[in-house]
Amino acid sequence: MNLHRKGRAALVLALVAVVGMAFRVSWNALRDIAGAVGADGTAAMLYPFVVDGLMALALIATLVLAGRDRTFALRVLGAYTVASLVLNYVHGLVPELHGRTVDWGRLADWDPANWALVLLATSLPVGSIYFGSDLVAKVLHHRPPSIPAASTNAEESTETEIKRSTADLPVSTPAAITRNATALPQPVAVDFLKSTLPAKPLPSIAPTPAAPIERRTVAAESTRPRRATGRVPTVAKSTRPKRTPDQLLTEAREATAGWPDAKVTGEGIRRAIRTSPANARSLRDTLLAERAATAAEAA
């Protein structure tokens, strides 16, 4: 474990040394570029920290952040790495930059290339302010995923093992009962404790024959409560007296006196005089027969 930690520490120190040497090599190029685009002595000395310093900040943010924030940090690191590479390349192509004898604002002979290089060199400080602030804010607001405690994992694993072992147990069977093979001593008859007087004879009792049980049919008891029976009260009885066939025929004649023959039906008569369907059909046949006889006499 100590060797592993020492190896990691040595790797980090080697990385810091390489980055420091690379920063020193890039220092002169970025300082001369800053002086060529109009920066004074102090600004030219700080210009390499603006470019290469943001690269170091983006590298640290890449190691801390995750997901989309890490992708953003990688893009910033790649963009500033390319920008520093381009400026160092231009510094190597233009010898006049080494002695600062180049014209102010002139980094290339071709005007479009010169304009692009000047725009790149002057926009890097502003981009460092924006992207550096954004990366620092993302790192400060980053919340690493919580790791459960070891005790919690141990309890969960113990519960899981207990449940699994309990479910895998076979069905318990009762143990077989073995008889005790130890022989008990036989009882010994002792005669001197018994009475020598003769026992009084007892009269014999004849057994009494039991009467046979007769099978009887018993009505099954119903669990439903029985309804009370009795006379129907007078109020519940119908007050309308029962009509005779002649009375029904008279009422039917009076009810259908103005009806045409097509309307004289059993249903109409039943509703008109309030009688049963059978009586209504009988009255219908009678009334139609009377009307047919009356029409025949009139003709």
Side-chain angles (χ1 to χ4, degrees):
M1 190 67 177
N2 294 332
L3 294 176
H4 182 64
R5 290 182 178 179
K6 291 181 179 179
R8 294 178 62 181
L11 180 62
V12 173
L13 291 177
L15 176 62
V16 171
V18 171
V19 171
M21 290 184 290
F23 178 76
R24 179 62 187 87
V25 172
S26 179
W27 177 281
N28 292 335
L30 296 179
R31 182 192 60 185
D32 295 342
I33 292 292
V37 295
D40 57 3
T42 305
M45 292 291 292
L46 297 177
Y47 188 81
F49 290 101
V50 174
V51 181
D52 295 340
L54 184 64
M55 292 170 55
L57 177 62
L59 177 60
I60 297 174
T62 303
L63 299 176
V64 175
L65 300 175
R68 298 178 59 184
D69 295 340
R70 186 185 181 197
T71 304
F72 174 75
L74 286 173
R75 290 177 179 175
V76 173
L77 176 61
Y80 269 72
T81 301
V82 173
S84 179
L85 176 62
V86 170
L87 294 180
N88 279 271
Y89 178 71
V90 172
H91 183 266
L93 290 179
V94 183
E96 290 81 1
L97 291 173
H98 303 174
R100 297 189 179 183
T101 58
V102 70
D103 295 337
W104 181 62
R106 172 61 62 178
L107 298 178
D109 295 335
W110 189 39
D111 289 339
N114 182 65
W115 298 336
L117 291 174
V118 172
L119 176 63
L120 176 63
T122 54
S123 62
L124 287 179
V126 180
S128 297
I129 297 174
Y130 174 76
F131 293 117
S133 303
D134 195 7
L135 289 175
V136 171
K138 291 181 184 297
V139 171
L140 294 179
H141 290 83
H142 177 66
R143 294 293 182 269
S146 59
I147 301 175
S151 59
T152 306
N153 293 337
E155 293 177 0
E156 292 179 357
S157 61
T158 304
E159 293 180 359
T160 305
E161 290 177 0
I162 291 175
K163 291 180 181 179
R164 289 179 179 176
S165 60
T166 304
D168 295 338
L169 288 177
V171 179
S172 60
T173 55
I177 301 175
T178 59
R179 297 180 59 184
N180 188 5
T182 305
L184 297 177
Q186 298 294 331
V188 179
V190 180
D191 296 337
F192 65 88
L193 294 178
K194 293 184 179 180
S195 176
T196 58
L197 296 177
K200 185 177 180 180
L202 297 176
S204 60
I205 301 175
T208 304
I213 300 175
E214 297 180 0
R215 294 184 179 180
R216 298 179 182 178
T217 305
V218 181
E221 297 183 0
S222 176
T223 57
R224 298 176 57 186
R226 296 181 61 186
R227 298 177 59 186
T229 59
R231 297 180 60 186
V232 180
T234 308
V235 180
K237 294 182 180 180
S238 177
T239 56
R240 187 173 184 179
K242 188 175 181 179
R243 294 170 291 181
T244 61
D246 295 338
Q247 292 176 348
L248 291 174
L249 181 59
T250 303
E251 293 181 6
R253 287 172 180 168
E254 294 176 357
T256 61
W259 293 7
D261 294 346
K263 192 177 179 181
V264 180
T265 59
E267 183 65 19
I269 296 173
R270 185 186 68 79
R271 293 182 179 181
I273 64 176
R274 299 183 180 278
T275 184
S276 64
N279 293 336
R281 289 193 295 271
S282 177
L283 293 172
R284 178 200 59 191
D285 298 339
T286 304
L287 292 175
L288 291 177
E290 290 179 355
R291 291 190 177 190
T294 302
E297 291 176 358

